[in-house]
Amino acid sequence: MIPTAVLVSGGGTNLQALIDSRNSGALTSADLALVVADRPGIFALERAKAAGIRSIVINKKELGRERFEAELSRVLAKHGIKLIVLAGFLCILSKDFTDKWPRRIINVHPSLIPSFCGEGFWGLKVHEAALEKGVKVTGATVHYVNEIPDGGEIIVQKAVTVPEGITPKALQKRVMKLAEWKILPKALQIAAEKIEKEN
Ligand code: GAR
């Protein structure tokens, strides 16, 4: 099992999907060893606690990116982490950081990349942009993370239809439920299995 850290910034429903997958026995190659939040007080931390997963807050706003990443690197090394999942993690990591973790960081993004992705496209904004464009199909993507925001190799994608007249908030929920929560555990299992085979 590959020691895995899950990085979060918000409600943590994607973290919950990983926990549920672990509990159901489907996630066999990744050990959810640590949750790291970039801000205090978020509900994802409660989810980690309830699941018995160690968690830590590294306050990005207080530290700034450089010191945040230095502290993150220290914590990941201390816990022997080999794989990182960005699950609703809203900081962009520097090239210095991502270069140290080639094919060892995965991210879930709430659109079909290369649509509605890159800097500025996060959370609800992605769905607002998709509705503004009038797309009939959207979805979610899990990909490896490199120095280009949402630019790394795609692992899994899932399409979701866009019902007429749906609001951005309702579309966000629909994409999470029908795509993100399904493909994130699947992609983590794929990425972790690959590392197991390499070792
Ligand atoms: C999710 O929809 C995730 O795809 C998105 O933020 C939400 C977090 O929800 N991430 C991004 O937009 C990253 N570019 P969660 O905290 O409930 O998992």
Side-chain angles (χ1 to χ4, degrees), residues 140-177:
T141 304
V142 182
H143 61 92
Y144 286 111
V145 172
N146 62 13
E147 74 280 10
I148 303 158
D150 300 322
E153 186 191 328
I154 290 169
I155 307 168
V156 188
Q157 288 189 303
K158 192 164 193 300
V160 174
T161 56
V162 180
E164 196 71 41
I166 194 169
T167 63
K169 262 201 167 319
L171 183 59
Q172 180 180 47
K173 188 76 205 282
R174 181 173 165 85
V175 168
M176 282 177 159
K177 192 172 166 206

Side-chain angles (χ1 to χ4, degrees), residues 34 56 58 67-81 97 101:
L34 181 69
I56 180 167
I58 307 175
R67 285 171 62 207
F68 169 82
E69 287 185 354
E71 181 59 11
L72 178 60
S73 297
R74 195 190 65 77
V75 164
L76 296 173
K78 183 178 156 200
H79 292 277
I81 298 300
F97 188 92
W101 294 85

Side-chain angles (χ1 to χ4, degrees), residues 71-97:
E71 181 59 11
L72 178 60
S73 297
R74 195 190 65 77
V75 164
L76 296 173
K78 183 178 156 200
H79 292 277
I81 298 300
K82 300 282 182 256
L83 182 57
I84 300 171
V85 182
L86 309 184
F89 182 68
L90 300 180
C91 293
I92 292 179
L93 295 164
S94 71
K95 175 170 162 52
D96 265 4
F97 188 92

Side-chain angles (χ1 to χ4, degrees), residues 19-114:
I19 293 167
D20 293 348
S21 177
R22 175 195 74 176
N23 293 349
S24 77
L27 187 62
T28 54
S29 294
D31 172 27
L32 303 178
L34 181 69
V35 168
V36 181
D38 66 349
R39 62 200 73 189
I42 59 176
F43 193 65
L45 290 165
E46 302 300 320
R47 296 182 191 272
K49 194 174 167 191
I53 303 171
R54 191 188 299 260
S55 67
I56 180 167
V57 177
I58 307 175
N59 195 323
K60 161 103 188 291
K61 207 168 162 192
E62 256 175 38
L63 295 175
R65 179 149 93 176
E66 224 170 283
R67 285 171 62 207
F68 169 82
E69 287 185 354
E71 181 59 11
L72 178 60
S73 297
R74 195 190 65 77
V75 164
L76 296 173
K78 183 178 156 200
H79 292 277
I81 298 300
K82 300 282 182 256
L83 182 57
I84 300 171
V85 182
L86 309 184
F89 182 68
L90 300 180
C91 293
I92 292 179
L93 295 164
S94 71
K95 175 170 162 52
D96 265 4
F97 188 92
T98 58
D99 278 356
K100 290 187 191 119
W101 294 85
R103 295 170 74 85
R104 291 296 183 273
I105 312 175
I106 70 170
N107 177 50
V108 60
H109 182 77
S111 76
L112 292 174
I113 290 174

